Amino acid sequence: MDYTTQMDAARKGIVTPQMKIVAEKEHMPVEKLMALVASGKVAIPANKVHTSLSPEAVGQDCRTKINVNLGVSPEHNNHEEELQKVQNAIDMKAEAIMDLSNFGKTREFRRKLVKMSTAMIGTVPMYDAVGMLEKDLKDITVDEFFSVVEQHAEDGVDFMTIHCGMNRKTAQRIKDNPRLTNVVSRGGSLLFAWMEMNNQENPFYEYYDRLLDICEKYDVTLSLGDACRPGCTHDATDAAQIEELITLGELTKRAWAHNVQVMIEGPGHMVLNEIAANMKIEKRLCHGAPFYVLGPLVTDIAPGYDHITSAIGGAIAASCGADFLCYVTPAEHLRLPTVDDVKEGIIAARIAAHAADLVKGIPGAQEWDDAMSKARVDVDFDKMISLSIDPEKARRYYESSKPECEGTCTMCGKMCPARTMKRILAGEDVSIR
């Protein structure tokens, strides 16, 4: 192999097998794709070890992708249930799955996940450190942190969320400017605590080149985590968030110098009128790197419905430049999501992503909507159902309330405007009795 990473290959003018697949999926000339990968504006997360992967591109001029979070915890550690979620995510065409397991035999589950998944796999090694090393957080050494990262890379993980940007300067900013919800990032809070207890710099910031060496070796895309993302609308776009984002922009350029692909993670919770500005700030400060957002959740008062608050924010964020949406389920803030919660979260995120792709003018997006509209004009319910984002639910709803008049639904019956117009324009009489 004459290249180390997808970025290295693009810069050398080498078309990789992954680029060929992605270019076809995106309806994009491979030469354009190569230029975007070479510049860092598009990432193709594809660990060399992940042989079952069907690669995807994240970034400029590409379809908005979605990620599904899953994984066991000490309170809920049913591996079979998590694998069912994995299969559902793959069946529902999620492009990425993040294993956030933080308990038990994480490596066994992770390897099984990588082996079965055609979707790209992400992890947060910090979550795994305490359980894998079986040590108190304070006693973990720098070398041990990096040993966990190396193990995840060896196992075939395509991208890793690592909170490199929260250095001691940013940590001080948090202490000097108290927040309503402090640090809500799990990985970020663990690093913050480790730094405070040991009076040391963030090891992933201090020894960043060591991290880049691991990523380059396996072609792991570095997802630069936002430890200071706002955990409530009150904290959005504050000093700590922007301080960290500036640092992430600097770290992005250093990663690119190592031919390491980068994504930037973003908010969080944020009111509607701040979203567009935040997308522009990220793209400017981080040099056009792909932007991966959690939500944003546009209000804090809807536990049980946060897949909706997230989809609202995600649609706006992606239409304004975000490239990758992390789904949120109805269980957010309340419990580990069930299989049904995961499905609800995926559907909500896919709706948001497609809504944004219509704005972006992504090839095929408008054509999908137009095909649905044509089916409605033709009063073709079978076609409508097959084109829907969740055909199973659409068919279940339609068949649960059958109309007396075939070719209509129980909302309008014979007064269906599509039926009326189809008949009258065909020169037929219209009867509604």
Side-chain angles (χ1 to χ4, degrees), residues 94-298:
E95 291 87 4
I97 297 169
M98 287 198 77
D99 174 19
L100 306 186
S101 295
N102 57 15
F103 175 80
K105 297 178 180 178
T106 56
R107 190 171 204 187
E108 179 183 323
F109 178 77
R110 184 166 57 251
R111 285 180 163 178
K112 188 176 292 187
L113 173 61
V114 170
K115 184 176 181 180
M116 72 181 285
S117 179
T118 54
M120 52 186 163
I121 300 300
T123 59
V124 186
M126 191 69 192
Y127 294 174
D128 198 21
V130 175
M132 173 184 159
L133 299 169
E134 297 183 328
K135 298 178 70 172
D136 286 336
L137 177 64
K138 181 180 180 181
D139 298 329
I140 298 175
T141 68
V142 171
D143 286 343
E144 286 171 333
F145 276 131
F146 279 96
S147 73
V148 177
V149 172
E150 182 99 40
Q151 185 185 95
H152 282 225
E154 288 174 354
D155 290 342
V157 170
D158 302 296
F159 65 98
M160 294 186 204
T161 293
I162 301 184
H163 301 88
C164 306
M166 189 183 65
N167 53 25
R168 297 191 75 174
K169 181 180 178 183
T170 306
Q172 188 60 47
R173 183 79 68 182
I174 293 170
K175 291 187 283 187
D176 290 343
N177 298 272
R179 291 172 137 196
L180 191 58
T181 52
N182 298 313
V183 173
V184 299
S185 161
R186 183 163 55 182
S189 67
L190 292 171
L191 266 176
F192 186 98
W194 185 91
M195 292 161 63
E196 290 290 303
M197 289 187 292
N198 290 286
N199 194 29
Q200 290 191 45
E201 181 58 276
N202 177 351
F204 298 116
Y205 177 79
E206 186 172 5
Y207 304 104
Y208 187 59
D209 286 343
R210 183 174 175 180
L211 176 62
L212 295 178
D213 287 342
I214 296 171
C215 292
E216 186 174 18
K217 179 180 177 182
Y218 294 92
D219 197 2
V220 172
T221 296
L222 186 56
S223 192
L224 289 170
D226 53 337
C228 298
R229 70 173 180 265
C232 63
T233 56
H234 182 274
D235 292 342
T237 324
D238 70 353
Q241 180 192 335
I242 300 303
E243 173 91 52
E244 183 181 34
L245 192 59
I246 292 170
T247 303
L248 296 183
E250 296 166 351
L251 295 176
T252 295
K253 293 172 76 172
R254 287 176 59 186
W256 287 346
H258 278 250
N259 290 313
V260 171
Q261 301 183 102
V262 170
M263 299 186 293
I264 308 296
E265 298 190 10
H269 294 234
M270 185 167 288
V271 295
L272 289 169
N273 64 348
E274 292 187 59
I275 295 174
N278 268 262
M279 302 307 109
K280 291 180 181 179
I281 290 170
E282 184 280 337
K283 288 289 184 177
R284 176 64 65 86
L285 293 179
C286 296
H287 322 292
F291 199 16
Y292 174 26
V293 296
L294 177 67
L297 281 69
V298 295

Side-chain angles (χ1 to χ4, degrees), residues 348-365:
R350 286 193 63 207
I351 292 170
H354 178 69
D357 286 349
L358 289 168
V359 176
K360 294 176 179 178
I362 296 298

Side-chain angles (χ1 to χ4, degrees), residues 1-29:
M1 187 180 291
D2 297 324
Y3 58 90
T4 56
T5 67
Q6 296 293 320
M7 175 175 270
D8 184 37
R11 288 172 170 176
K12 291 176 176 176
I14 299 171
V15 178
T16 66
Q18 292 84 0
M19 290 180 199
K20 290 180 181 178
I21 294 170
V22 165
E24 185 174 344
K25 287 182 176 181
E26 298 292 343
H27 307 287
M28 182 185 295

Side-chain angles (χ1 to χ4, degrees), residues 397-414:
Y397 270 49
Y398 178 67
E399 294 184 348
S400 70
S401 181
K402 281 294 189 71
E404 292 183 8
C405 178
E406 189 174 344
T408 66
C409 75
T410 52
M411 172 66 79
C412 298
K414 289 184 178 181

Side-chain angles (χ1 to χ4, degrees), residues 66 68 88 92 304-308 310-311 327-331 335 337-352 389-390 392-393 396-397:
I66 72 163
V68 172
N88 286 355
M92 295 174 71
Y305 298 91
D306 277 328
H307 59 312
I308 297 174
S310 172
Y327 90 151
V328 171
T329 77
R335 68 176 187 202
T338 65
V339 171
D340 287 340
D341 292 332
V342 167
K343 180 177 180 179
E344 289 294 311
I346 292 172
I347 293 297
R350 286 193 63 207
I351 292 170
I389 204 162
D390 184 1
E392 184 277 327
K393 185 173 184 178
R396 176 161 44 87
Y397 270 49

